[in-house]
Amino acid sequence: MSIIKLLPDSVANQIAAGEVVQRPSSVVKELLENSIDSEAKTIKLIVKDAGKTLIQVIDDGTGMGKDDLKKCFFRHTTSKIRSSKDLFSLETMGFRGEALSSIASVSHMSIVSNQDSSDSLGFEIKLEGGEEKSLSEVVSSKGTSISVKNLFFNIPARRSFLKSDNVELKHIIDEFHRVALINHEINFIFINNNNELFNLSKSIFKERIVRIFGKSSKQKLIPINEETDIAKISGFVFKPEYSRKSRSTQFFFVNKRFIKNSHLNHAVKTAYEGLIQDNLYPSYFLKINVPLSSIDVNIHPNKTEIKFDNDQSIYAILKSSIKHSLGQFNIVPTIDFDNNINLNTPYSYKNKEASIPKVDYDQAFNPFENLTSPVKLKTKDFNFNNIDDSSDQDQLNNELEFLKTNVFPSFQLKSKYIITKTSSGIIIINQKRAHQRILYENFLKELSNKTNPIQTLLFPIKLDFNSEEIRMLKLIEAPLVHLGFKFNSFGEEGIEISGIHPFLNESYTHELFQDFLKNKDYSSDNATHTLNDLIAKLLAKYSSISSNETINVKLQESLVNDLFACKDPNVSPFGKLIFKLISLEEIIKIF
Ligand code: ADP
Ligand code: MG
């Protein structure tokens, strides 16, 4: 006797629902996407009890006629694709034809739809657990209204798995953000338990971001714009100092679809390297447009993962364009693109709006020479990027204002930390990291400006490398010469160095070159700013004071002074925390 049976549709749908409908927010996503696919201009979302009682989406899109209404909630019914080849030219959000059937099978659903704007009568179909209960003519305007009540009424285990209303509502809001951000040309209204949470009229992308994330986000945005044959990238990132402890403001939209992609996320994270602490996440709102045929969306039921044909190239383009914008619009690796001797950016940046920053070069710069000048902190651009709360931020800013005008004695702990006081607490500084930050910013300036003095070596250093290594090292020859290195030979038989940068500790010359070779990163993405950044970092690493070096009070003062004159005194070029402020309140708490 045969034991294999075809499952009834109701059971098959419930199984599919397990993948598509995990919680109320999944219903919100699918219904909003259907309304977008229907070319709606205005979409209204109504939610009660975090979606456990009601989720309703009303649109003014194309609507459905009676026949389609009777079919739309069956499994694998879709108006969006006809054959499998359509999967590679998808312009719609939906295509699997399983959202309505999945949702219907685990809820009480009503769909009211009207296709004809000249007729005020449409149809309403009512379903329970996916079964049609009634179909009737009703008064309605053009478009579709879908109500989903009592979600998971027939799967008590799923219902009891739902989290508190607050948590479920948070998921719904996240889903709403994702849809509303990228569809900024559509009006959205979102009502939760009779309160209007959002009322967003159609606008440009930037305006939509600001409407959703608040007015204060406006000044945090840096535009990104890049166009290549492989991908067009546009949108915004937050300045590094506004990085957060959560990932909730990270958005990739590929061809208008919100996606999650750890590889691309890594590209963004590395573009911020040296600008934010390791435990913080940059915020971004990025549109990536690629040819429809170069991606596969059909790899996961909820369609938030996609496969790219060219993911390596997109990674490089993304990283490079963000790095470029961070450098141009803000920020630490400030490079003067006019003066840069070896500028050779791989992509066009023609759409940038802001003026190109100039770096003012301090001829006399030497972090330890300027011992007699008073401590003057240039903290105009200073921000504590690990602080989210704005009142804390204010307090810290006051603190820095105070530091600007006051010199405090400092002392060294374990030849490793410098400790100094502020108006309301103490600051503990990691001396090595602080010095690396100072040197790093200085090397970046030098790389983009003047040619530097050479420190001629009494005895030239000869280093042996194989031909592949020489080929790699050739990439950094010109920038190093610009920084004051002198090479007697640079070829097959190795390198002979007769001059180095005056800050570099001569005995580390070999390590420095070895380290360049270990960093494959720059060879795959040979944008100048990436290369300069790496050179500045490694030179800083081998030129800084060590974490076991006694320095006198004048030098300590100078180090503190120079650190807070840096554009980003918070983290070392390697992303490590440089200092910690311990407030008086914290000290009082101890006792
Ligand atoms: P898919 O979106 O993958 O096609 P769904 O199950 O989400 O599958 O929807 C099935 C079909 O119902 C859609 O292809 C579309 O024709 C129709 N439909 C669903 N929602 C709407 C809507 N809001 N307006 C117009 N038609 C809709
Ligand atoms: Mg759909």
Side-chain angles (χ1 to χ4, degrees), residues 257-384:
R257 187 188 298 279
F258 170 83
I259 60 137
K260 294 179 182 158
N261 187 308
S262 54
H263 188 53
L264 295 186
N265 180 57
H266 188 265
V268 180
K269 182 103 192 177
T270 37
Y272 277 79
E273 218 170 56
L275 298 175
I276 60 175
Q277 268 173 253
D278 284 348
N279 60 346
L280 296 179
Y281 302 102
S283 297
Y284 53 83
F285 312 85
L286 294 166
K287 298 181 183 179
I288 302 172
N289 285 317
V290 292
L292 294 173
S293 59
S294 73
I295 50 170
D296 186 356
V297 188
N298 190 27
I299 59 170
H300 195 275
N302 67 19
K303 301 163 285 175
T304 49
E305 281 166 42
I306 62 175
K307 211 159 101 323
F308 292 92
D309 284 353
N310 293 310
D311 60 346
Q312 289 306 330
S313 313
I314 293 172
Y315 181 99
I317 298 166
L318 187 63
K319 179 175 147 194
S320 172
S321 59
I322 293 176
K323 258 194 153 173
H324 190 105
S325 287
L326 288 175
Q328 200 177 25
F329 284 84
N330 207 12
I331 301 296
V332 178
T334 311
I335 291 170
D336 181 336
F337 289 95
D338 278 345
N339 284 348
N340 201 333
I341 42 139
N342 49 9
L343 183 70
N344 160 32
T345 34
Y347 311 111
S348 66
Y349 292 96
K350 53 187 184 297
N351 299 327
K352 296 282 184 272
E353 296 152 19
S355 61
I356 293 162
K358 287 270 190 287
V359 172
D360 49 331
Y361 172 66
D362 174 4
Q363 288 287 338
F365 183 88
N366 176 339
F368 292 135
E369 238 168 39
N370 199 11
L371 300 185
T372 50
S373 69
V375 175
K376 43 179 194 338
L377 293 174
K378 290 184 259 153
T379 54
K380 185 159 55 64
D381 303 324
F382 191 94
N383 273 297
F384 282 79

Side-chain angles (χ1 to χ4, degrees), residues 30-31 34-35 37-38 59 61-64 72-74 77-80 93-101 113 144 146 303:
E30 295 296 338
L31 296 186
N34 277 347
S35 294
D37 285 343
S38 82
D59 68 52
T62 51
M64 283 179 272
C72 67
F73 60 93
F74 292 143
T77 50
T78 177
S79 56
K80 299 168 193 175
M93 291 294 114
F95 57 88
R96 298 172 62 103
E98 58 187 7
L100 289 188
S101 61
S113 204
T144 303
I146 301 186
K303 301 163 285 175

